[in-house]
């Protein structure tokens, strides 16, 4: 018995070695195991070290290419426009760059791999081996998500599902737990789990000592997911127990299939304790086994001897590589070896079939998307597309249907063989010819028919060319010197005012137009009408025959495809339906990534996306894009189907006495109900404390405002509280008497002597704000009306002139550097169709400003405007709406300043300083544009520079990491953690922005390229800690720095600096924009 166990143990190790290394030679594997004295990790090292030697010369080439100062540096997988290599020309440097990129991709340094102990390597030995290697390194505690200080940001909305907080690389935990929690039968089993008190008080063994505390924490967690008032809950207590069992630390990125195996094992053990205590002489039934485990029958032949045995399975593993859909994966998994030998009596061949004899209500498929690359000595993820249906019929794999399935498989095999022949025949029609270039035969016949039917226009292809024209590439020597023949004249050598007569030059491949008498096609020169008639008849007939043959082949191929597709659609083969319940998605590479889950809400009949704390509505289309693979680095890793006929899995619970459906807290046992109520009380207390704190702050602000002395306003002007900063005018104390007199004198002289000049030209030398300039200009132009009819008529004339001027500015289409919206709020209001009352009141306030007192005429018009303001009744202008428009304009000016300062820093290559300004410019601008097209700036421009800033910072951080110096490495990771990683959700939140998504992929690929390289252990440790945060696909904004402080700009200065930076951009090529 002991020898049998040892043999079985050795065979397990050999199977693990075969899966990790890809080596199938049993003698080589046995020798490696023997040399390592049974140490699995050491055996892996022996086997992989022989197959993964990196040439030093190529390694040096890579590092030389990767130097930050090298202008030929190219990031791996880069999709940024600045790194695109153009091989269409003759540039040898581009070719060298392509070679360097190829070397970098193919010759990354080999990194040694190992695996965890046998218990941890239950299913995914490959992933476990990497986990063991990383777990052997000492790590620091990674950053985790910090909660918002405002508890209302963490408050659950109505009946929205509750999320799970990521407490340090635990997205794998969230994805699996949420999938199981949404199985209502599983939820009931966990919530109602209550072993006898004796088992809780005195654990009899290590399993009970571990499993019972875990079940207690899992019950608490499920109860919070049911009835919590929080948007998301913290699973730390349950996670810590799991991590202790995995012998891992906080930085370990667990594998979903491994964790699911372990979780089901624990649950099975926990429920076995309860089942054994409750049994009454009968064999105990374990509900976990009943839910998740099935059986299959293995029937086969081994070296001519038939065998048959039944095995139990939980998660069913499926290979992905080489298959296009789930049924193809299942067919391959159910058949191994030479199948024909199963039905023959005398055969030495080996093969086996698997037939399901009992399917579990919850059927989980584990998709094997990782394989070991022997050349590189590391695992790689398979990104191939694999389709799977929302409803999966499993009748063809059932043992009871084996005879009819075998018949259908034989028929499908015959049809596919026939299909291959038809496709080969069709290909001969579609790719006709014997040379390297091939064409559809029907087109070849059509071209021949067109050639035969063309009429010749001359007897020779050169007879119609004018012999008097000079040969190609020559010119008349009297008109152009010989040196110009080679290079062509420059604009300085031949003035445009004295044109030079020259002959027409026809150059091969470059002449701009074809002579009008040149025939479009060649034509036969010697053919009789009789020959042409016979040839046309043959070509027409042959073309019709080819078209018919092609159409028949295509129709036959379509019919066969349809027949194969409907092979299992008859009624007897659609009796075992399984509905897709959950899809666990992984994005990233083999060694690092992020998990989330799509889970079907069976009652609302919609898909939901569970991404840690974020729970959102989704669609089948989004699930397809993220789960099928072949799109970016995301693909399904685990599929959970449930028996569509077993409604108890998803059926709500009902009160046995009243018959009413139980929802929310009513579904919880009393102890859990009390637990959730206590937690909700704590959260409500947080809300109350937050409200009290806010109320206290408001009270303090009111108190401070009441204690602040107010300056008395002039009696003749209405009180204007909080005048917008963009309406600023020079105060009397700020304007010296000398400046005022010079301003009035300059305006009067300009209006008197140069009436024909534009207002902008007149005011160029007068240092006043654009608002004040416009008003004084309008008053100056209205002086004749003022002198004849008095101040009120002069006021109406001036305000009409100013309104007309601003309307013209609003209707103009100036270049980006001359944005009239910055000059005047009214231009902004007009372009965005603000109510007329808002525009009129804004103009009145500017005409009524008490600073408008340069001379008697200005003062009198100011007084008229102030009287008009006082006459406006409260119901005539909605002051709340008025303030809303002015607040929006303040937001626009603030966004402009963010953009301007960000671009100025960008041009100075101060990318760290530029980034935060550009981030806030983009976010504020997006909010403005959501209300109207003219309420913000060019979104594409801001997006481009925000993206470029991130890419340049990413390259800088990568260069610091490559230096190997501890201080520089830390600085590089600080840049990534504090600047780049928090920004990635901002780029991923809008999936229509393909350039942003490509930039994120570029940055991720840049860091993932280090995974296969040899590096110091401390660098490996830091990289392993950092990568999961970089690869986190959540679009949840996890926190950001406060907005940067903006300097105070006058309108003149703001307009001038904005014009300067926009002009500089127009002169600088903006790559990719």
């Amino acid at each position: 018995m002991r020898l049998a166990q040892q043999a079985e143990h050795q065979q397990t190790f050999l199977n693990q070695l075969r899966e990790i290394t890809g080596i199938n030679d049993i003698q080589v594997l046995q020798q490696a195991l023997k040399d390592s004295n049974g140490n699995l990790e050491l055996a892996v090292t022996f086997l992989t070290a022989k197959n993964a030697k990196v040439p030093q010369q190529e390694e040096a080439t890579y590092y030389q290419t990767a130097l930050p100062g090298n202008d030929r540096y190219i990031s791996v997988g880069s999709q940024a426009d600045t790194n695109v290599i153009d091989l269409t020309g003759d540039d040898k440097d581009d070719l060298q760059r392509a070679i360097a990129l190829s070397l970098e991709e193919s010759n990354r340094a080999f990194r040694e791999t190992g695996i965890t102990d046998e218990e941890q390597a239950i299913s995914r030995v490959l992933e476990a081996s990497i986990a063991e290697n990383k777990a052997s390194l000492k790590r620091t505690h990674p950053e985790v998500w910090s909660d918002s200080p405002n508890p209302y940001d963490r408050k659950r909305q109505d009946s929205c599902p509750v999320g799970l907080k990521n407490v340090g690389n635990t997205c794998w935990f969230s994805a699996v737990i949420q999938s199981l929690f949404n199985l209502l039968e599983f939820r009931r089993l966990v919530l109602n789990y209550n072993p006898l008190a004796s088992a809780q008080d005195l654990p009899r063994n290590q399993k009970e000592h571990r499993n019972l505390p875990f079940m207690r924490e899992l019950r608490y967690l499920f109860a919070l997911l049911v009835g919590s008032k929080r948007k998301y809950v913290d699973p730390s207590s349950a996670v810590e127990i799991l991590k202790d069992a995995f012998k891992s630390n906080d930085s370990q990125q667990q594998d979903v299939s491994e964790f699911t195996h372990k979780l089901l094992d624990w649950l099975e053990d926990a429920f076995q304790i309860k089942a054994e205590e409750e049994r009454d002489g009968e064999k105990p039934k374990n509900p976990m086994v009943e839910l998740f485990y099935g059986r299959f029958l293995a029937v086969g032949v081994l070296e001519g001897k038939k065998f048959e045995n039944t095995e139990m399975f939980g998660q069913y593993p499926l290979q992905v590589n080489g298959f296009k859909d789930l049924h193809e994966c299942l067919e391959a998994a159910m058949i191994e070896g030479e199948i024909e030998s199963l039905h023959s009596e005398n055969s030495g061949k080996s093969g086996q079939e698997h037939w399901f004899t009992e399917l579990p209500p919850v059927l989980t498929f584990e998709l094997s998307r990782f394989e070991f690359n022997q050349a590189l000595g590391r695992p790689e993820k398979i990104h191939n597309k694999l389709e799977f249906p929302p409803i999966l019929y499993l009748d063809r794999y059932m043992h009871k249907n084996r005879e009819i399935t075998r018949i259908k498989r034989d028929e499908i095999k015959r049809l596919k063989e026939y299909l291959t022949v038809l496709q080969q025949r069709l290909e001969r029609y579609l790719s006709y010819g014997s040379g390297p270039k091939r064409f559809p035969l029907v087109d070849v016949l059509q071209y021949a028919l067109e050639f035969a039917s063309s009429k010749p226009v001359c007897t020779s292809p050169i007879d119609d060319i004018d012999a008097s024209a000079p040969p190609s590439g020559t010119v008349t020597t009297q008109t152009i010197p010989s040196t110009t023949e080679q290079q062509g004249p420059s604009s300085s050598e031949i003035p445009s005012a004295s044109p030079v007569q020259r002959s027409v030059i026809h150059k091969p491949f470059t002449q701009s137009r074809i002579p009008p008498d040149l025939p479009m096609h060649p034509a036969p020169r010697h053919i009789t009408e009789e020959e042409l008639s016979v040839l046309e008849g043959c070509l027409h007939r042959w073309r019709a025959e080819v078209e018919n043959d092609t159409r028949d082949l295509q129709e036959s191929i379509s019919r066969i495809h349809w027949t194969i597709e409907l092979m299992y659609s008859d009624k007897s083969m659609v009796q075992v339906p399984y509905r897709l319940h959950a899809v666990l998605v992984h994005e990233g590479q083999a060694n690092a990534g992020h998990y989330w889950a799509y889970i079907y809400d069976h009652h609302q009949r919609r898909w939901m996306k569970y991404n840690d704390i974020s729970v959102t509505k989704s669609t089948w289309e989004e699930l397809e894009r993220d789960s099928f693979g072949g799109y970016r680095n995301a693909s399904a890793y685990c599929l959970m189907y449930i028996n569509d006929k077993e409604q108890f899995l998803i059926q709500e619970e009902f009160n046995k006495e009243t018959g009413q459906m139980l929802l929310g807290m009513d579904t919880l046992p009393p102890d859990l109900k009390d637990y959730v109520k206590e937690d909700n009380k704590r959260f409500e207390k947080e809300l109350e404390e937050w409200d009290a704190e806010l109320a206290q702050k408001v009270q303090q602000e009111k108190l401070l405002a009441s204690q602040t002395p107010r300056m008395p306003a002039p009696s003749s002007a209405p009180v204007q509280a909080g005048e917008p900063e963009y309406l600023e005018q020079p105060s009397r104390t700020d304007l010296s008497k000398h400046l005022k007199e010079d301003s009035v004198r300059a305006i009067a002289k300009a209006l008197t002597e140069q009436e024909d000049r534009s207002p902008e030209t007149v005011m160029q030398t007068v240092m006043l704000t654009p608002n004040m300039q416009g008003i004084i200009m309008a008053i100056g132009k209205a002086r004749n009306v003022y002198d004849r009819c008095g101040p009120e008529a002069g006021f109406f004339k001036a305000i009409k002139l100013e309104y007309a001027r601003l309307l013209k500015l609003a209707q103009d289409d100036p270049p980006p550097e001359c944005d009239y919206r910055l000059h005047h709020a009214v231009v902004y209001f007009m372009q965005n169709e603000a109510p007329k009352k808002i525009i009129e009141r804004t103009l009145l306030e500017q005409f009524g400003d008490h600073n408008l007192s340069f001379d008697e005429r200005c003062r009198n018009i100011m007084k008229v405007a102030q009287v008009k303001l006082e006459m406006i009744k409260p119901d005539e202008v909605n002051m709340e709406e008025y303030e809303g428009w002015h607040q929006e304009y303040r937001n626009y000016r603030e966004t402009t300043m963010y953009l301007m300062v960000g671009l100025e820093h960008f041009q100075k290559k101060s990318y760290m300083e530029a980034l935060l300004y550009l981030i806030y410019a983009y976010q504020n601008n997006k909010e403005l544009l959501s209300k109207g097209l003219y309420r913000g700036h060019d979104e594409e421009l801001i997006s481009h520079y925000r993206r470029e800033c991130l890419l340049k910072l990413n390259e800088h951080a990568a260069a610091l990491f490559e230096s190997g110096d501890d201080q520089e490495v830390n600085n590089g990771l600080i840049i990534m953690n504090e600047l780049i990683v928090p920004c990635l959700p901002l780029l991923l939140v809008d999936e229509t922005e393909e350039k942003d998504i490509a930039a994120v992929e570029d940055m991720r690929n840049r860091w993932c390229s280090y995974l296969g390289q040899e590096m110091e252990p401390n660098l490996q440790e830091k990289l392993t800690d950092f990568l999961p945060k970089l690869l986190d696909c959540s679009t949840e904004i996890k926190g950001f720095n406060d907005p940067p402080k903006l300097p105070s700009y006058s309108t003149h200065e703001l307009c001038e600096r904005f014009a300067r930076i926009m002009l500089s951009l127009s002169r600088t090529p903006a790559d990719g924009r």
Side-chain angles (χ1 to χ4, degrees):
M1 183 73 177
R2 190 164 189 170
L3 289 174
Q5 288 179 345
Q6 290 178 348
E8 184 179 354
H9 193 67
Q10 184 183 25
Q11 186 61 43
T12 301
F13 273 11
L14 290 174
N15 290 339
Q16 292 173 350
L17 279 175
R18 183 184 295 111
E19 184 174 351
I20 295 170
T21 63
I23 298 174
N24 293 314
D25 192 327
I26 192 67
Q27 293 181 348
V28 173
L29 298 175
Q30 287 175 339
Q31 185 62 40
L33 201 58
K34 182 179 178 182
D35 292 344
S36 62
N37 294 322
N39 186 315
L40 199 57
E41 182 179 355
L42 195 57
V44 171
T45 304
F46 288 158
L47 291 169
T48 55
K50 297 176 183 178
N51 297 297
K53 300 295 183 182
V54 180
Q56 293 181 356
Q57 182 179 357
E58 293 176 347
E59 185 177 343
T61 304
Y62 164 70
Y63 282 107
Q64 183 179 0
T65 307
L67 289 175
N70 193 333
D71 59 354
R72 292 300 174 191
Y73 172 74
I74 305 166
S75 64
V76 178
S78 173
Q79 297 181 29
D81 299 328
T82 55
N83 289 332
V84 173
I85 303 175
D86 181 11
L87 297 180
T88 58
D90 298 328
D91 190 349
K92 293 183 179 179
D93 287 340
D94 285 339
L95 182 59
Q96 292 300 320
R97 293 172 67 195
I99 293 171
L101 179 60
S102 176
L103 287 174
E104 178 182 347
E105 186 65 29
S106 61
N107 295 307
R108 292 181 190 143
F110 159 76
R111 187 177 72 231
E112 209 174 83
T113 60
I115 62 170
T116 61
D117 58 27
E118 184 181 6
E119 182 182 0
Q120 290 187 19
I122 299 169
S123 173
R124 186 67 63 188
V125 182
L126 175 60
E127 287 289 90
S129 67
I130 303 303
E132 178 70 8
N133 188 37
K134 292 189 291 183
S136 64
L137 300 173
K138 183 180 178 182
R139 293 181 178 86
T140 57
H141 196 286
E143 293 181 22
V144 296
W145 289 2
S146 57
D147 292 328
S148 168
N150 184 350
Y152 285 96
D153 293 339
R154 296 179 271 116
K155 186 178 180 181
R156 184 179 182 182
Q157 299 298 320
D158 300 327
S159 59
C160 180
V162 178
L164 287 173
K165 182 179 178 181
N166 189 329
V167 292
N169 298 336
T170 56
C171 50
W172 46 272
F173 179 87
S174 301
V176 175
I177 290 297
Q178 291 282 22
S179 301
L180 294 173
F181 172 79
N182 281 277
L183 283 171
L184 299 189
E185 176 64 14
F186 180 85
R187 184 193 303 181
R188 283 189 288 270
L189 288 169
V190 171
L191 292 174
N192 294 304
Y193 179 83
N194 188 22
L196 297 180
S198 59
Q200 298 185 45
D201 297 338
L202 297 171
R204 294 169 294 186
N205 52 46
Q206 182 63 28
K207 285 185 178 180
E208 289 187 8
H209 186 76
R210 175 196 65 193
N211 293 346
L212 293 177
F214 174 72
M215 285 302 300
R216 181 178 62 251
E217 296 301 334
L218 190 62
R219 289 183 73 234
Y220 289 157
L221 183 60
F222 272 31
L224 290 174
L225 290 175
V226 168
S228 178
K229 292 185 178 180
R230 303 176 191 265
K231 178 183 177 182
Y232 56 89
V233 294
D234 190 334
S236 297
S237 300
V239 170
E240 288 305 318
I241 297 174
L242 279 170
K243 285 187 173 181
D244 289 342
F246 274 93
K247 299 178 182 178
S248 172
N249 58 32
D250 294 339
S251 300
Q252 180 66 55
Q253 182 81 20
Q254 292 296 344
D255 171 59
V256 160
S257 62
E258 179 188 357
F259 165 62
T260 309
H261 273 296
K262 180 68 68 178
L263 178 65
L264 292 180
D265 280 350
W266 284 23
L267 290 168
E268 182 182 346
D269 291 341
F271 278 92
Q272 190 66 28
I273 297 170
K274 184 178 179 182
E276 289 175 355
E277 290 176 345
E278 295 176 351
R279 70 176 176 176
D280 187 17
E282 299 180 359
K283 185 178 179 180
K285 287 188 176 182
N286 192 316
M288 292 297 108
V289 175
E290 300 289 324
L291 267 184
F292 295 102
Y293 289 87
R295 288 179 171 80
F296 67 83
L297 181 68
V299 183
V301 176
L302 180 61
E303 296 179 355
K305 296 181 180 179
K306 291 188 176 182
F307 68 86
E308 185 175 305
N309 59 283
T310 301
E311 298 180 26
M312 182 178 284
F313 69 92
Q315 288 178 275
Y316 202 83
L318 295 175
Q319 294 296 321
V320 169
N321 210 5
F323 306 111
K324 68 177 184 178
D325 59 42
L326 189 59
H327 275 301
E328 286 191 2
C329 296
L330 277 166
E331 289 282 352
M334 305 300 275
I335 302 173
E336 297 178 13
E338 298 289 336
I339 303 306
E340 291 81 359
S341 62
L342 298 177
H343 314 300
S344 59
E345 295 295 331
N346 301 313
S347 173
K349 296 180 179 179
S350 299
Q352 64 174 311
E353 291 176 338
H354 290 177
W355 299 99
F356 292 129
T357 56
E358 184 180 341
L359 287 171
V362 182
L363 178 58
T364 304
F365 292 114
E366 172 193 316
L367 303 182
S368 180
R369 282 196 171 271
F370 298 98
E371 62 183 1
F372 193 84
N373 188 321
Q374 280 189 270
L376 298 177
R378 68 161 187 259
E380 290 185 339
K381 186 177 177 183
I382 301 168
H383 296 291
N384 299 356
K385 183 177 182 180
L386 183 80
E387 298 179 0
F388 47 85
I391 299 290
L392 180 70
Y393 292 99
L394 294 169
D395 303 76
R396 70 186 80 174
Y397 311 109
M398 301 302 295
H399 182 253
K400 63 182 180 181
N401 296 325
R402 64 188 183 282
E403 296 302 330
I404 187 171
T405 299
R406 283 171 177 165
I407 294 172
K408 288 181 180 292
R409 283 176 180 169
D410 290 341
E411 178 64 13
I412 289 174
K413 182 180 179 182
R414 185 189 65 79
L415 287 173
K416 286 186 174 179
E417 290 173 352
Y418 183 46
L419 184 64
T420 302
V421 174
L422 292 180
Q423 288 173 333
Q424 290 173 348
R425 289 181 182 175
L426 178 62
E427 184 64 20
R428 292 171 187 166
Y429 281 95
L430 299 179
S431 300
Y432 185 81
S434 56
K437 291 186 177 180
R438 304 192 176 197
F439 305 92
L441 180 54
V442 67
D443 290 346
V444 172
L445 294 172
Q446 178 63 27
Y447 299 154
L449 182 60
E450 290 174 1
F451 172 77
S453 304
S454 300
K455 300 297 183 182
V457 295
C458 57
T459 58
S460 170
I462 61 173
D463 284 350
D464 60 339
I465 299 178
D466 186 4
S468 62
S472 175
T474 63
V475 297
T476 307
T477 57
Q478 294 178 351
T479 58
I480 301 177
S482 60
T483 56
T484 312
E485 293 179 29
Q486 306 296 329
Q487 301 174 359
S490 67
S491 59
S492 60
E493 292 169 345
I494 303 179
S496 58
S498 55
V500 180
Q501 297 296 325
R502 61 170 70 189
S503 301
V504 178
I505 303 175
H506 293 288
K507 295 183 179 180
F509 309 110
T510 61
Q511 58 190 24
S512 60
R513 63 190 184 93
I514 301 172
D517 54 351
L518 186 67
M520 293 303 295
H521 298 287
R525 293 193 297 277
H526 305 291
I527 185 169
T528 64
E529 290 295 329
E530 184 179 354
E531 290 172 336
L532 180 60
S533 176
V534 172
L535 183 57
E536 284 183 338
C538 291
L539 289 172
H540 274 298
R541 185 174 70 253
W542 295 340
R543 187 174 185 275
E545 291 172 358
V546 170
E547 285 179 338
N548 290 334
D549 291 347
T550 303
R551 185 168 53 253
D552 290 345
L553 285 169
Q554 290 171 335
E555 290 175 355
S556 297
I557 290 170
S558 296
R559 280 197 302 272
I560 293 174
H561 276 302
W562 187 244
T563 303
I564 293 174
E565 191 173 337
L566 297 179
M567 187 64 70
Y568 294 101
S569 62
D570 52 287
K571 190 175 181 180
S572 63
M573 301 302 281
V574 290
Q575 299 302 308
V576 188
Y578 270 70
R579 181 178 295 277
L580 186 62
H581 167 70
V583 180
L584 277 63
V585 180
H586 174 270
E587 180 172 47
Q589 302 300 329
N591 294 355
H594 178 67
Y595 294 98
W596 69 90
Y598 289 100
I599 303 173
Y600 188 66
D601 186 331
H602 298 271
H603 298 281
Q604 298 292 333
R605 297 185 181 276
R606 68 186 179 201
W607 284 96
M608 302 291 291
K609 182 178 181 179
Y610 290 77
N611 193 349
D612 290 332
I613 68 172
S614 172
V615 183
T616 55
K617 295 178 184 177
S618 186
T619 61
W620 176 255
E621 290 71 27
E622 183 184 1
L623 185 152
E624 278 186 343
R625 187 186 66 245
D626 286 350
S627 307
F628 281 7
Y631 176 73
R632 299 194 310 215
N633 291 332
S635 53
Y637 194 87
C638 187
L639 305 176
M640 190 178 290
Y641 282 88
I642 61 173
N643 192 323
D644 205 31
K645 292 184 177 180
E646 302 285 0
Q647 290 300 307
F648 75 95
L649 292 170
I650 55 173
Q651 197 166 29
E652 295 285 359
E653 197 172 353
F654 291 87
N655 188 304
K656 294 179 181 179
E657 296 179 359
T658 63
Q660 291 183 338
M661 184 185 296
L662 299 178
L663 297 172
M665 296 282 283
D666 293 336
T667 63
L668 300 179
D671 63 321
L672 294 181
K673 194 177 294 185
D674 293 340
Y675 176 80
V676 175
K677 284 181 179 178
E678 285 298 318
D679 185 75
N680 285 340
K681 283 181 182 177
R682 288 193 293 271
F683 184 63
E684 287 170 356
K685 188 176 180 182
E686 280 188 60
L687 295 172
E688 291 171 2
E689 290 174 352
W690 178 264
D691 290 339
E693 186 179 341
L694 283 184
Q696 186 178 3
K697 285 182 179 179
V698 171
Q699 191 66 30
Q700 290 174 350
E701 289 173 0
K702 287 182 178 179
L703 185 62
L704 287 173
S706 64
Q707 294 173 352
T708 304
R710 296 184 180 180
M711 296 298 292
S715 59
S716 59
V719 177
Q720 300 293 328
E723 186 179 51
E725 62 176 9
Y726 51 86
L727 299 182
E728 83 276 356
Q729 308 289 3
S731 67
R732 288 176 176 172
T733 56
D734 293 338
L735 269 179
S736 67
K737 183 178 179 182
H738 178 72
L739 176 59
K740 289 171 65 175
E741 290 175 353
D742 286 350
S743 299
V744 175
R745 196 179 302 114
I747 296 169
K749 183 178 178 181
L751 292 172
T752 304
E753 299 179 0
Q754 304 183 42
E755 286 284 343
D756 58 330
R757 296 177 64 187
S758 67
E760 290 78 3
T761 307
V762 173
M763 299 307 298
Q764 279 180 355
T765 59
V766 182
M767 294 302 294
L768 297 174
T769 65
N771 299 340
M772 184 67 82
Q773 288 180 6
I775 292 169
I776 294 176
M777 286 287 295
I779 292 173
K781 286 186 176 182
R783 70 185 183 281
N784 292 333
V785 176
Y786 177 90
D787 292 340
R788 289 197 314 268
C789 305
E792 188 165 359
F795 162 76
F796 281 116
K797 179 64 176 178
I799 201 169
K800 183 178 179 182
L801 288 170
E802 177 65 355
Y803 185 91
R805 181 183 76 87
L806 295 175
L807 182 61
K808 183 177 183 300
L809 293 179
Q811 293 172 341
D812 282 352
D813 186 18
E817 65 270 13
C818 186
D819 193 336
Y820 293 131
R821 294 174 297 177
L822 287 175
H823 293 210
H824 208 296
V826 172
V827 176
Y828 182 87
F829 295 161
M830 287 176 170
Q831 287 191 356
N832 292 290
E833 300 178 352
K836 192 173 181 181
K837 293 287 185 182
I838 304 294
I839 297 173
E840 289 175 352
R841 184 179 178 92
T842 302
L843 276 175
L844 269 177
E845 286 187 342
Q846 293 181 3
F847 272 87
D849 191 280
H850 64 273
N851 291 310
L852 192 66
S853 56
F854 291 98
D855 57 14
E856 187 67 25
R857 185 167 57 238
C858 289
R859 280 194 295 273
N860 289 336
I861 287 180
M862 174 191 72
K863 291 176 182 179
V864 173
Q866 290 172 353
V867 172
K868 297 294 183 187
L869 275 171
E870 290 177 346
M871 291 173 62
I872 297 177
K873 297 178 182 178
D875 59 344
E876 289 182 351
V877 177
N878 186 333
M879 291 307 295
E880 186 176 341
E881 183 182 19
Y882 176 84
E883 179 55 34
W885 276 96
H886 281 269
Q887 180 58 49
E888 184 177 306
Y889 185 65
R890 284 192 287 272
N891 295 341
Y892 168 73
R893 279 173 57 97
E894 185 179 84
T895 302
T896 304
M897 286 188 273
Y898 280 134
L899 173 60
M900 180 184 71
V901 176
L903 292 176
E904 287 173 346
H905 281 304
F906 185 90
Q907 290 201 330
K908 296 173 185 175
K909 299 186 178 179
S910 302
Y911 301 121
M912 281 189 281
E913 292 81 359
L915 179 61
L916 203 55
Y917 285 99
L918 292 173
I919 289 293
Y920 276 96
Y922 184 87
Q923 295 303 110
N924 292 359
N925 192 67
K926 194 173 187 68
E927 186 176 346
L928 288 171
L929 291 178
S930 66
K931 301 176 183 178
L933 183 62
Y934 300 106
R935 300 201 182 201
H937 293 283
D938 181 2
E939 187 174 30
E940 187 179 349
L941 179 138
I942 309 177
S943 175
H944 169 77
Y945 283 99
R946 179 185 66 164
R947 186 168 56 246
E948 284 298 305
C949 204
L950 284 167
L951 288 168
K952 290 182 183 298
L953 280 174
N954 185 72
E955 288 303 312
H956 177 57
L960 292 175
F961 183 82
E962 287 176 1
S963 70
D965 179 77
D966 284 344
Q967 185 60 43
E968 292 198 351
V969 168
N970 289 335
N971 290 340
L973 291 177
I974 288 172
I975 291 173
M976 296 302 296
N977 284 319
E978 295 185 2
L979 292 177
I980 293 182
V981 170
C983 291
L984 296 187
L986 301 176
L987 271 66
L988 292 172
V989 71
D990 188 354
E991 296 185 347
T992 61
E993 293 292 336
E994 295 182 1
K995 290 182 180 179
D996 283 349
I997 293 174
V1000 173
E1001 289 301 307
D1002 178 33
M1003 289 184 275
R1004 287 174 173 170
N1005 290 337
R1006 181 76 178 87
W1007 289 88
C1008 286
S1009 67
Y1010 295 132
L1011 285 173
Q1013 299 178 22
E1014 287 183 349
M1015 61 181 70
E1016 295 296 325
N1018 67 317
L1019 292 183
Q1020 181 68 52
E1021 172 189 343
K1022 291 175 180 178
L1023 181 65
T1024 307
D1025 285 342
F1026 161 67
L1027 271 181
K1029 288 178 279 187
L1030 181 67
L1031 296 172
D1032 185 355
C1033 300
S1034 172
T1035 55
E1036 185 86 15
I1037 309 301
K1038 303 172 188 174
F1040 218 88
N1041 296 330
D1042 293 331
K1045 292 185 178 180
L1046 290 169
S1048 179
Y1049 295 116
S1050 68
T1051 302
H1052 261 305
E1053 188 178 4
L1054 177 60
C1055 295
E1056 182 182 346
R1057 291 183 64 169
F1058 184 76
R1060 191 185 309 130
I1061 192 66
M1062 296 305 290
L1063 273 172
S1064 66
L1065 293 184
S1066 65
R1067 299 191 193 104
T1068 306
D1071 295 334
R1073 186 168 58 83

